[in-house]
Amino acid sequence: MTYLDDRANLRGKVAVVTGGAGGLGWPIVRDFMKAGVQVALCDRDAAAIEAIASEMQSASVKTLLRLADVRDSVAMDAFFQEIDREFGRIDILVNVPGGGFVAPLLETRPKGWQAVASQNFFYVLDTTQQAARRMIAQGQGGSIIYITSIEAHRGVPNRAIYGSMKAAVAHLAKTLAMEFHADGIRVNCIAPDIFPTPNSGGSAFDPQSPQGKLERTISVPMGRYGEGDDLTGCVLFLASDLASYVTGATLHVDGGTYASSGWFNWPDQGWMNTPTQEIVDMLASASKQQEGSSSTSRAGADSA
Ligand SMILES: NC(=O)c1ccc[n+]([C@@H]2O[C@H](COP(=O)([O-])OP(=O)(O)OC[C@H]3O[C@@H](n4cnc5c(N)ncnc54)[C@H](O)[C@@H]3O)[C@@H](O)[C@H]2O)c1
C-alpha cells in the first residue's frame, strides 16, 4: 500500500452510487472500483446498465448492479435491502441523478414542479435516510456526496425549479453536516458546470471545431469543458479520509466558471464582464437589417 492509499483509507469500503451506469455516474463508479472500493449502483437506464455489466462483473472488487429509478421509494427500499444482504454495510453514498426542463416559470405547472423536485431533491432525502441510518448503526461514520450544479449558486433563467432544487440540496448538505457530525458522517456537494454527457445538452458546437474551441476559451477560465476524471478525483477525495475535516462544503469543479461569474475571456481583448464592442455592433446591425426587411415586407403587403 502506498502512502496515499494509506492516507485515503478507501480500499475495501462499500460505496452506493445512484445513477451510476451512465453520464457522470459511470466514471465515478469506475474510479471507485480502480481504488479498491466495492460498489453497488442503480440506474434507470437499462441500455446503460447492459453496456457496463461485463466490466462491473469482471472487476477485482465486489459489485452490484440494479435497474431502478431513484424516484421510486419502494424500489430504493428493495435496493438498499439487497445491499444489506450482499455487502452488510455502507460507507459512502454518491447521488448523481438530476436535471429538468427549460421553460420560463410562468409557463410551468405543478406537475412539472413535482417532477423536477423528485428528480433532484426528494430522492436525495430518501437515499440519504437509507444510507445514514445504516452508517449510524455501523458506528464507523461515512461520507455522503451530492452532485449539485453551478446553478445551485447563481440565478438560472428558464430553469427556476431545477436551480432551486439544486440549491435545496446544497442547503441540505450544510444542515446534515450538523445533524450527522456526532456519528462521524460527513456530507458534501460537488458542483459541476459544463461536462458534456449524452443527457446534458452541452454546446451547439462540436468541441473540436474552431467555434467549439473559441466558445470554451471565452466562457471557461481553464479553456476547456470538464471530463470524467476532473470530477471523479474530487469524489474520491471527499469519500476518503483525506477529507476527514471537510463537511457541509461544496467543491466547485468547473474550470473556474463559478469564480469568474459573468466575466468572459474575449479573443484579443481579454477579460471583460460585458460583450465586446464588435459583438454589440454586429447584433445592432443584424437587428437593423431585420427591422428593414420586416418594414419592406409590410409595405409590400400594404400595396398588394
Ligand atoms: N453534465 C453536466 O454538464 C452537468 C452540469 C451541472 C450539473 N450536473 C449534474 O450532475 C449530475 C449528473 O449529470 P449527467 O449529465 O451525468 O446526467 P445524466 O442524466 O446522464 O444522469 C447520470 C446517470 O443517472 C441516471 N439517472 C438519471 N435519472 C435517474 C433516475 N431517476 N433514477 C435512476 N437513475 C437515473 C442516468 O440514466 C445516467 O446513467 C446531475 O445531477 C446533473 O444535474 C451535470
Side-chain angles (χ1 to χ4, degrees), residues 103-233:
L105 181 70
L106 295 183
E107 289 174 17
T108 63
R109 298 282 174 273
K111 196 172 168 209
W113 308 343
Q114 182 67 39
V116 178
S118 301
Q119 173 70 1
N120 291 279
F121 184 60
F122 292 141
Y123 90 85
V124 171
L125 299 176
D126 185 24
T127 55
T128 298
Q129 278 195 341
Q130 293 276 8
R133 285 187 175 133
R134 287 164 170 85
M135 289 171 181
I136 291 166
Q138 289 159 203
Q140 290 172 311
S143 172
I144 296 177
I145 300 164
Y146 303 141
I147 309 297
T148 56
S149 169
I150 190 173
E151 314 305 2
H153 304 276
R154 66 181 183 188
V156 50
N158 301 327
R159 299 192 77 192
I161 307 126
Y162 171 74
S164 304
M165 289 302 103
K166 288 295 194 186
V169 175
H171 190 279
L172 180 72
K174 290 181 192 168
T175 299
L176 296 184
M178 297 155 78
E179 289 193 17
F180 292 169
H181 85 92
D183 291 292
I185 301 171
R186 296 179 294 102
V187 189
N188 293 290
C189 299
I190 291 178
D193 189 4
I194 308 170
F195 278 72
T197 62
N199 300 324
S200 68
S203 161
F205 304 111
D206 169 0
Q208 298 313 323
S209 68
Q211 293 96 325
K213 285 181 183 153
L214 196 56
E215 183 196 45
R216 282 171 294 165
T217 312
I218 293 169
S219 58
V220 185
M222 287 182 70
R224 65 178 179 85
Y225 294 150
E227 291 164 13
D229 285 354
D230 295 319
L231 188 98
T232 60

